[in-house]
Amino acid sequence: MVRWIVGVIVAVAAGWAIVGFLPATTMANEPTPKISILRVLAKPVVESGRAKHEPAKGCYLGAYVELDPSISQKLMVDGRGRRDPAAFEKIVQKPHASYFFYLGYGRPLPSEYIAALRDRGKLIQIALEPNAGLATVQDDDYLRSLADMMRDSKARIFLRFASEMNGDWVRYHGDPVLYRQKWRLVHRVMAERAPNVAMVWCPYAMPLGTIDPYYPGDAYVDWVGVNMYNVTYFNQNKSTPAHDIGPFDLLDPIYRKFADRKPIMIAEYGVTHFSAVENKYVRQFAVSNLDQLYQGLRKRYPKVKAIYYFNTNGIALKHRRNNDYRVTTDPTVRATYRKLIDHPYFLSGAPGGLPGENEFVVRTLDSGSTVDSPIAVRAEVSGTGLALRYKWGYVELIAEPDGHVVLDPRALEPSTGALTIEAVDADGNVVAARQVELTLTRPN
């Protein structure tokens, strides 16, 4: 039996609809409840077995360059200057496929910067951080407009929401149940409104014991990430030496747990070549760890499909002075990084076969539409305590764990008929219903 995996939204026969429920005949003598379908979303079902934006082979090269003062060339976007990735690529002598930036939850999306990276063919990782706490994350105008702007950017986006949740240094640590609820909320809004966004769940490499309770579930995660750093001392504390902790020690636990079912992203990686706590260069430490990790990704970790180097001078951070992680300034470290990433396994751009921007177009699922390939359908109903039930003719469509149903013209007889959506209360009563007339055909 073919196993279908939900893919990206494309312009086949799908999209948003603002429609109202027709009152069911069984409720004719009672007040009509104020219920409506806020959105009707349909998307094709992809058979590739790969996650959104996942390359079939190789590993995306990525980087963070915002805190490298040696990169003086800037892009003037969104009213500010940002380090120009082109200047970084000139130094390391290879284009990178993706770059990331941080965005505090509640802040506006830097649309001009995203457009500039998109126009250069880059994938974009956004580290969206609810630093004021999880209570700020609501299904409101901010979250919906954020999703709409991401969709309208037509960029390939990785959304790393609320990462490092397993550490007590973030404001969204401490309540795994609430965390999972908020994660699923963000996932739902992005899935419905921004099909070009892949959700990345990303703990820190340690502590390991607090990771599992925060996992939202396979149905709500596209990629699993990990943030990890090789330093000579943890937390700048000489009582916690880390000289003998290698990159595999940090990566292995996450990889072993998730790589059989999710692509893995090293969302942040850095290795120090100048240690603040020791006040000295540790070049060989940097060279050795870089070599282990980047060679190891090719030979031992085929499911690591993206790595972002944290190219930052932490020595210059006034609020948190730590280490110099840059690969741009020290000649020995720079030469090592150049040599390691030169291998074609490390991808400079999105390979062919990934969805193009036209496939992110969202269209209304109107009566009269023709469906000629499998689509996943989801509706959202206002009101509380209501469940949704979907039928094609007299055939009830079984919902998947995340709530969508699959309408597959290859499994049903080609015909013109009605997709019926019913709202059911806690007692099993149908309180409202809606029908959409569709024609199912099989492709030639």
Side-chain angles (χ1 to χ4, degrees):
M1 182 178 180
V2 177
R3 180 171 69 91
W4 300 108
I5 298 178
V6 177
V8 296
I9 302 171
V10 301
V12 175
W16 302 104
I18 305 301
V19 298
F21 268 135
L22 300 178
T25 55
T26 56
M27 302 294 291
N29 298 323
E30 299 181 21
T32 302
K34 294 181 178 180
I35 298 170
S36 63
I37 298 178
L38 303 178
R39 288 174 284 274
V40 175
L41 184 64
K43 51 188 174 181
V45 176
V46 176
E47 300 178 67
S48 69
R50 296 198 300 274
K52 196 178 296 186
H53 307 330
E54 179 186 357
K57 297 180 181 179
C59 177
Y60 292 133
L61 269 181
Y64 176 75
V65 298
E66 287 294 290
L67 296 176
D68 182 355
S70 69
I71 299 175
S72 58
Q73 182 176 324
K74 293 188 177 181
L75 294 173
M76 297 307 299
V77 286
D78 303 297
R80 58 170 290 187
R82 289 185 179 268
R83 312 282 179 189
D84 191 340
F88 170 76
E89 293 175 352
K90 184 176 181 180
I91 295 171
V92 300
Q93 298 182 351
K94 184 171 182 176
H96 283 43
S98 186
Y99 290 86
F100 86 82
F101 61 86
Y102 297 97
L103 181 67
Y105 195 89
R107 302 286 297 172
L109 191 71
S111 299
E112 292 179 6
Y113 185 47
I114 290 174
L117 293 176
R118 176 206 63 205
D119 290 347
R120 296 181 182 186
K122 309 300 184 185
L123 296 96
I124 297 143
Q125 183 205 143
I126 302 173
L128 181 62
E129 299 184 332
N131 294 316
L134 291 170
T136 61
V137 181
Q138 302 290 334
D139 187 357
D140 56 12
D141 289 344
Y142 173 75
L143 181 57
R144 291 190 291 270
S145 65
L146 188 69
D148 291 347
M149 292 177 71
M150 289 185 189
R151 178 197 66 221
D152 294 343
S153 75
K154 297 184 179 180
R156 295 184 177 96
I157 294 174
F158 293 113
L159 185 60
R160 173 162 56 105
F161 173 68
S163 62
E164 302 189 7
M165 76 303 294
N166 57 312
D168 60 9
W169 52 87
V170 297
R171 288 284 302 277
Y172 38 89
H173 171 81
D175 190 339
V177 173
L178 181 61
Y179 178 91
R180 293 195 304 269
Q181 291 173 351
K182 298 299 185 179
W183 172 278
R184 292 173 182 180
L185 166 62
V186 175
H187 175 274
R188 175 177 59 79
V189 171
M190 293 297 160
E192 293 174 351
R193 305 181 80 104
N196 53 324
V197 171
M199 293 288 292
V200 182
W201 179 78
C202 183
Y204 196 73
M206 57 186 68
L208 291 172
T210 53
I211 290 178
D212 287 354
Y214 288 90
Y215 188 59
D218 286 350
Y220 307 95
V221 173
D222 295 308
W223 290 55
V224 167
V226 60
N227 290 352
M228 47 187 263
Y229 291 81
N230 283 118
V231 294
T232 51
Y233 291 91
F234 290 129
N235 301 319
Q236 300 299 297
N237 188 333
K238 286 194 173 183
S239 68
T240 54
H243 295 79
D244 296 330
I245 304 296
F248 301 157
D249 299 313
L250 303 173
L251 175 59
D252 274 353
I254 292 294
Y255 192 88
R256 288 197 304 268
K257 183 179 291 289
F258 294 103
D260 64 336
R261 60 191 195 269
K262 298 292 178 182
I264 304 299
M265 172 186 290
I266 300 177
E268 294 181 17
Y269 176 71
V271 57
T272 181
H273 71 270
F274 186 90
S275 170
V277 69
E278 298 165 275
N279 195 33
K280 70 175 185 180
Y281 285 97
V282 286
R283 295 183 182 90
Q284 190 53 46
F285 177 83
V287 167
S288 175
N289 283 282
L290 281 171
D291 186 74
Q292 285 183 49
L293 180 58
Y294 281 80
Q295 294 231 39
L297 294 185
R298 293 194 290 112
K299 299 174 181 179
R300 295 177 49 175
Y301 299 95
K303 285 289 287 184
V304 174
K305 296 299 185 78
I307 180 171
Y308 290 78
Y309 192 81
F310 193 73
N311 188 65
T312 293
N313 180 15
I315 302 294
L317 296 179
K318 294 181 180 179
H319 66 290
R320 192 172 57 188
R321 186 173 185 267
N322 47 55
N323 299 288
D324 193 342
Y325 299 109
R326 290 176 295 175
V327 293
T328 53
T329 53
D330 183 87
T332 302
V333 175
R334 182 171 61 239
T336 300
Y337 186 72
R338 285 175 176 174
K339 180 180 178 180
L340 290 167
I341 67 172
D342 187 53
H343 196 283
Y345 184 82
F346 294 107
L347 305 176
S348 292
L354 288 185
E357 67 176 43
N358 289 335
E359 294 178 87
F360 298 144
V361 175
V362 179
R363 293 183 180 175
T364 301
L365 184 62
D366 289 321
S367 286
S369 296
T370 297
V371 178
D372 61 4
S373 61
I375 57 172
V377 179
R378 181 203 301 273
E380 186 174 280
V381 60
S382 62
T384 58
L386 298 173
L388 289 178
R389 187 162 61 199
Y390 303 80
K391 296 179 181 178
W392 175 252
Y394 295 103
V395 178
E396 183 170 350
L397 304 176
I398 305 302
E400 298 294 329
D402 67 349
H404 77 268
V405 297
V406 174
L407 185 63
D408 185 354
R410 298 177 304 180
L412 301 166
E413 288 296 323
S415 62
T416 296
L419 174 66
T420 302
I421 306 169
E422 297 175 337
V424 182
D425 65 18
D427 296 323
N429 299 313
V430 177
V431 297
R434 170 75 183 182
Q435 287 189 339
V436 180
E437 299 289 333
L438 300 172
T439 298
L440 302 190
T441 63
R442 293 174 183 170
N444 296 328

